[in-house]
Amino acid sequence: MEESPKYWERPASTPVPTVWRRCEGRRQTPEGKTLRFRIQDVPEDRHEDLLDFMIKYFTPDEPTMKKLKLYEDAGILEFLRGLYGEFLTQNLSLVAFLEEDEGELNKNVRPRIVGANLLAVAYKNEKFELPKNLSETVKKATRFWLDYIPKKFDSFEHYGVDHYLSGYGLCVLREFRGQGLGLEILKARFDLAKAVGLEVTVTSFTNISSQILAARVGFEEHAEIVYEEYKDDDGVVLFTDMETRSLKIMGKRVVLQGHSVPPKCHAAPIINALYRAEVSALLVAGRTNQSHLTAACHNTTCPDPRKEMLATTHHLRGLESLVKHAQFTSPSVADHGRLKMIVSILEY
């Protein structure tokens, strides 16, 4: 395991702010305009604006804070603002500006923040010093976040690192949702991680919408925590009637600049079967669905069938891409029986 620096610093070779992505919205406005967005590092002169944005829009929307109404608790909001401010000093967080907003045309008005992803380096055995005057509700919530969740999955052990890029809040303004902006922000996270040399990124995604986006861009699900199964020290269920069923710890190893690795499949038997034209044709033609792929995973020696990674749209598209572009060699005779079994599962 490599040694982590005492305090991570962004390489001088990657200037701040860097624009990581530009994208267009999927839907036109009622006026027939196509929205354009710019995703970049947070400029220093917009730090306070970004903190205002996260406190105002992210905290009331995050499922656990929303349920416990922590967005109304002045003590925890003050703590979070200070913590988020410390994160911003690492120059890793991302902001999405509305391109050609009035700020682009009038230099006296700054472009509007419409989305953000608060990011920072997480360290093994890191401890957060909490204020002593927190309310009992906040204390219960912090025990869930700081004690309970980390015990469910050891990201450092899994990836063999002692620091990684962590996400502490993904938010897109409601009026701009459905434009694909959240997806592009997560993709920009990978661009950033590659450029600054952070090979792993892990996040506890708390909302179903962010979980879906994360799966689409390639995050792997490592652990699921059902909200209503968690009880506080008094045996009381803390999160009831949640709109999102569970929290998911998801991560991805990022290929750093100057490095390359061959494509990795999380269900080796199925990728082996893709040597055969029959399965290739089925996938390219879309002749499969979630239940078939899930069944395929459960009926082979898949390392972790519960992940059902191949049951997602993202991974199906990835397989289709492999079929179309990869160079396949002839399988051995020993694969013939497995091939027939997988083909029978994938076919209608």
Side-chain angles (χ1 to χ4, degrees), residues 36-324:
R36 293 189 290 180
F37 307 101
R38 182 175 75 247
I39 303 169
Q40 63 170 75
D41 302 316
V42 185
E44 187 174 358
D45 66 350
R46 301 303 301 270
H47 280 195
E48 290 300 317
D49 295 334
L50 195 282
L51 294 176
D52 291 339
F53 179 89
M54 295 301 291
I55 295 297
K56 183 177 181 179
Y57 298 110
F58 172 70
T59 59
D61 205 40
E62 195 283 318
T64 60
M65 288 192 275
K66 180 179 180 180
K67 179 62 184 178
L68 301 179
K69 296 185 177 180
L70 299 186
Y71 55 88
E72 298 177 350
D73 189 298
I76 190 62
L77 292 183
E78 181 181 0
F79 168 73
L80 288 176
R81 190 180 184 94
L83 183 65
Y84 292 170
E86 291 180 15
F87 290 161
L88 288 178
T89 64
Q90 296 185 21
N91 289 319
L92 287 170
S93 295
L94 298 170
V95 62
F97 289 122
L98 188 60
E99 191 96 273
E100 296 184 359
D101 197 4
E102 61 252 61
E104 304 292 319
L105 304 175
N106 182 349
K107 297 304 180 182
N108 295 321
V109 180
R110 294 183 291 184
R112 185 181 181 187
I113 296 175
V114 295
N117 193 192
L118 193 65
L119 303 169
V121 173
Y123 296 95
K124 190 172 185 178
N125 301 319
E126 183 177 26
K127 300 293 182 182
F128 292 102
E129 186 174 345
L130 299 172
K132 296 180 180 180
N133 59 342
L134 295 177
S135 67
E136 285 303 314
T137 300
V138 172
K139 289 179 181 178
K140 290 179 180 181
T142 55
R143 281 194 288 270
F144 172 73
W145 275 100
L146 302 180
D147 297 332
Y148 185 77
I149 294 177
K151 294 177 182 177
K152 292 299 180 180
F153 181 76
D154 189 336
S155 302
F156 302 100
E157 179 69 24
H158 178 82
Y159 286 106
V161 298
D162 56 12
H163 68 289
Y164 59 78
L165 180 62
S166 182
Y168 294 92
L170 173 66
C171 182
V172 173
L173 288 181
R174 287 188 177 275
E175 62 189 279
F176 294 97
R177 293 178 187 177
Q179 296 283 4
L181 183 55
L183 195 72
E184 293 300 319
I185 292 175
L186 287 179
K187 290 178 181 178
R189 186 200 292 199
F190 298 154
D191 300 335
L192 167 69
K194 291 176 185 178
V196 300
L198 291 168
E199 64 174 313
V200 173
T201 181
V202 180
T203 296
S204 295
F205 289 97
T206 60
N207 196 305
I208 182 63
S209 58
S210 61
Q211 293 166 8
I212 292 172
L213 293 179
R216 287 183 62 187
V217 298
F219 278 89
E220 300 177 30
E221 180 184 328
H222 297 307
E224 181 178 20
I225 299 172
V226 178
Y227 288 122
E228 294 193 3
E229 292 181 358
Y230 173 74
K231 297 179 181 179
D232 63 19
D233 294 342
D234 298 321
V236 178
V237 176
L238 192 60
F239 306 108
T240 59
D241 301 320
M242 300 288 284
E243 296 177 1
T244 296
R245 177 178 179 272
S246 61
L247 171 155
K248 293 185 178 182
I249 302 174
M250 306 176 75
K252 180 178 175 64
R253 188 180 296 277
V254 180
V255 179
L256 302 182
Q257 290 186 353
H259 297 75
S260 62
V261 296
K264 179 182 178 182
C265 180
H266 295 274
I270 293 182
I271 197 64
N272 289 339
L274 289 178
Y275 289 133
R276 298 302 182 105
E278 295 95 330
V279 180
S280 300
L282 285 170
L283 289 171
V284 173
R287 294 186 57 198
T288 183
N289 57 37
Q290 177 170 334
S291 61
H292 290 144
L293 283 171
T294 301
C297 192
H298 279 277
N299 283 279
T300 65
T301 57
C302 181
D304 189 356
R306 295 184 67 252
K307 288 183 179 179
E308 299 181 0
M309 295 302 289
L310 295 177
T312 67
T313 301
H314 168 78
H315 285 274
L316 177 56
R317 289 174 178 170
L319 289 175
E320 292 176 354
S321 177
L322 284 173
V323 171
K324 292 177 180 178

